Amino acid sequence: MSGHSKWATIKRKKAVLDSKRGKIFTKLIKEITIAARAGGDINGNPRLRLAVDNAKAQNMPMDNIERAIKKATGELEGVIYHELTYEGYGPAGIAVVVEVATDNKNRTVAEVRHLFSKNGGGMGETGSVAWMFDRKGIITLPAEGKKEDDVMEIVLDAGADDLTTEEDYFEVATTIESFETVRRTLVDKKFTVENASLQWIAKNLIEVKGEDAEKVVKLIESLEDLDDVQNVFSNADIVE
C-alpha cells in the first residue's frame, strides 16, 4: 500500500472513531451554523445543503441540525464562529494547512502555534504553503460491492476529475466548480455519500518515514484534536 493510501486510511478510521465519541458532531454543527448565516433554506444555500447532508450521513438527529440553523439565523441565541486558515511547516519540512472555526481567534491561534512549536514545526505567514496545494472537492463513497469501472463512468460523465480506489471505498476528486453537480448526481443515483467536502490537496508529496513519520502523525493528530480545528491537510507521504 502506498504511503498516501496508508495516511488516507488512517484518517478515515480516525473519523469513524471520532463519530463514535461525538467529536465529529461538534465539527458538523459548526459547519451548519456557519453555512446557515447565508440563509436557512437549504434549497437556496448549497453550502448549507451539503453541511446538512454530511450531518445526516453521520446520523445526526434532525433536532440538532434544526437548532444549529436557528442559532445561525437568529431565531435562537447562539455563538458566532469565525472561519480562519493557518499555514505552517512540520517535521521533515512538510507543509500543513489548518482550517478552524472559532469563537475566540486569540485563543485558537495561540493553541495552534503552540502545537506547531511543540511538535517540531512552526507557523508561517498567509500564503507561505497554500501554493503547494490545489483546492478540490473530495467525495468518499463506500464500495458496497460496486465495480470501479461503473463508478468511474458515472462520476466522469457528471464532471469529476478522477476516481481513486482505496481498500473498501472510492474517493472522487472534482474541481470546486463541478463539486456540487457531481455530488448531487451521486445522491440522485442512490450512492451512499460517506463524506463530501472541499479540501486542500497537495500538488506533490514529501516522503517521510521512521521517526520523522511518527513526529508528523503526532503533529497532525494533535492539531485535529483541538476543539476549534475543522480540518488539517499536509503534503506528507507516510511510508512504512
Side-chain angles (χ1 to χ4, degrees), residues 37-54:
R37 282 192 213 149
D41 178 10
I42 62 173
N43 295 316
N45 185 337
R47 181 175 178 180
L48 178 58
R49 181 168 63 240
L50 170 62
V52 169
D53 284 352
N54 281 337

Side-chain angles (χ1 to χ4, degrees), residues 70-84:
K70 288 179 179 179
K71 286 182 178 180
T73 56
E75 292 182 58
L76 295 174
E77 184 176 352
V79 176
I80 296 177
Y81 294 111
H82 304 279
E83 289 184 285
L84 301 166

Side-chain angles (χ1 to χ4, degrees), residues 121-160:
M123 283 185 63
E125 300 293 329
T126 300
S128 59
V129 305
W131 60 273
M132 302 181 193
F133 297 80
D134 288 322
R135 191 71 164 153
K136 288 184 175 291
I138 301 294
I139 304 168
T140 305
L141 311 167
E144 297 178 335
K146 295 181 174 63
K147 295 181 179 179
E148 182 178 8
D149 289 346
D150 294 340
V151 180
M152 176 76 80
E153 182 178 359
I154 291 170
V155 299
L156 291 183
D157 284 348

